[in-house]
Amino acid sequence: MRPRIKRVGVAVAALLAAAVLAAAFWLATPLGPDARAREALEPGDGISVERTDWGWELWPSASTPATGVVMYPGGRVDPRSYAPLARGLAQAGYRAVIVKMPANLAVLAPNSADRAVAAHPEIRRWAIVGHSLGGAMAAAHVADRPGRYAALVLLAGYPPRSTDLSNARIAVIALAGTRDTVLDRAAFEKARASLPSDSTVADVEGANHAQWGSYGRQRGDSDATIPPEVQTAIAVDAVRRALGDLPPIDQKPPTKG
């Protein structure tokens, strides 16, 4: 009987070791960045880029932004994959901060933005953007830091069930692509109740899950029918609208006359 028990024990140990190795490999091979993202991390054309202890920062070289935007990556996505979005935000006049996460999972450190915010006392206004799992953790972070952020933008993300922002004084925009087949749409819709009543929740025609970042195809996702540059520009505009620097989506800019 004992030899049989020993063989079972060895088999179980082997399976556990294989599972640990598979998990380690999975975590060690994040998605992206693709060539477009790597190019966006190059300084030039009026944009400065700096690697910091907490991630990457991009800002307009000719000015000192008074508004900063923190970015939380999606789960198992290399943070550099959000460089095109960060560059678009820098071109719009903001200091964009891409926050790196332990094991590329924001759930392991939802308050990772604290170091970046503390490093920039000159910035008077902050927004936070989160993609997918990063969106959930950005929402949780906002709930833990009331009054710190003026705006929250969720890209294919929604607050976790334990987070209630319904009474928070913060502008929120939540976007989901019509071609996104990774997002749990039912959970996304249900989470509306956890957001402030004046939040903007909108579908983006032709957008998929992966193109909020720049890391190539994602398993389970559908092909987008809009170019990645367009989807990035929509995300940049969402941040600007949430901060009040562009009119709301349902409001037309005033005509000159």
Side-chain angles (χ1 to χ4, degrees):
M1 202 64 178
R2 288 181 180 175
R4 181 179 178 184
I5 293 174
K6 184 177 180 180
R7 287 196 299 272
V8 171
V10 170
V12 169
L15 286 172
L16 287 174
V20 169
L21 286 173
F25 177 78
W26 184 78
L27 291 172
T29 53
L31 299 170
D34 64 14
R36 177 171 169 255
R38 291 192 294 270
E39 182 179 354
L41 269 182
E42 293 296 323
D45 296 328
I47 300 299
S48 296
V49 180
E50 181 182 1
R51 173 72 191 271
T52 69
D53 290 341
W54 47 84
W56 289 262
E57 299 194 8
L58 294 83
W59 69 96
S61 305
S63 64
T64 302
T67 300
V69 183
V70 175
M71 302 168 60
Y72 274 21
R76 197 177 153 256
V77 179
D78 189 305
R80 294 173 296 172
S81 300
Y82 298 89
L85 176 53
R87 195 173 190 93
L89 291 167
Q91 289 168 339
Y94 305 123
R95 189 175 197 100
V97 181
I98 312 170
V99 179
K100 64 181 180 181
M101 298 293 176
N104 296 301
L105 295 172
V107 70
L108 299 179
N111 293 320
S112 291
D114 286 346
R115 293 176 68 193
V117 172
H120 292 289
E122 78 282 2
I123 292 181
R124 304 185 216 129
R125 185 176 61 154
W126 285 95
I128 186 166
V129 182
H131 174 220
S132 195
L133 176 63
M137 294 303 100
H141 175 64
V142 165
D144 283 343
R145 303 291 187 269
R148 172 175 291 178
Y149 296 94
L152 166 66
V153 175
L154 302 172
L155 304 174
Y158 49 87
R161 283 183 293 179
S162 58
T163 297
D164 184 6
L165 294 173
S166 58
N167 294 316
R169 299 180 63 182
I170 185 172
V172 178
I173 293 180
L175 302 179
T178 60
R179 298 286 296 167
D180 186 340
T181 45
V182 174
L183 175 68
D184 184 334
R185 178 66 68 159
F188 178 81
E189 295 295 338
K190 186 176 181 180
R192 285 178 184 239
S194 300
L195 299 176
S197 59
D198 60 351
S199 299
T200 298
V201 180
D203 289 332
V204 178
E205 188 65 37
N208 68 356
H209 196 85
Q211 281 190 175
W212 295 120
S214 192
Y215 52 84
R217 294 183 61 85
Q218 184 167 352
R219 185 176 180 181
D221 203 10
S222 295
D223 291 334
T225 56
I226 60 175
E229 295 82 4
V230 171
Q231 195 163 328
T232 298
I234 290 169
V236 171
D237 279 359
V239 176
R240 298 178 69 192
R241 293 182 197 282
L243 284 166
D245 296 334
L246 283 180
I249 291 174
D250 58 353
Q251 177 183 330
K252 294 182 180 180
T255 57
K256 296 180 180 179

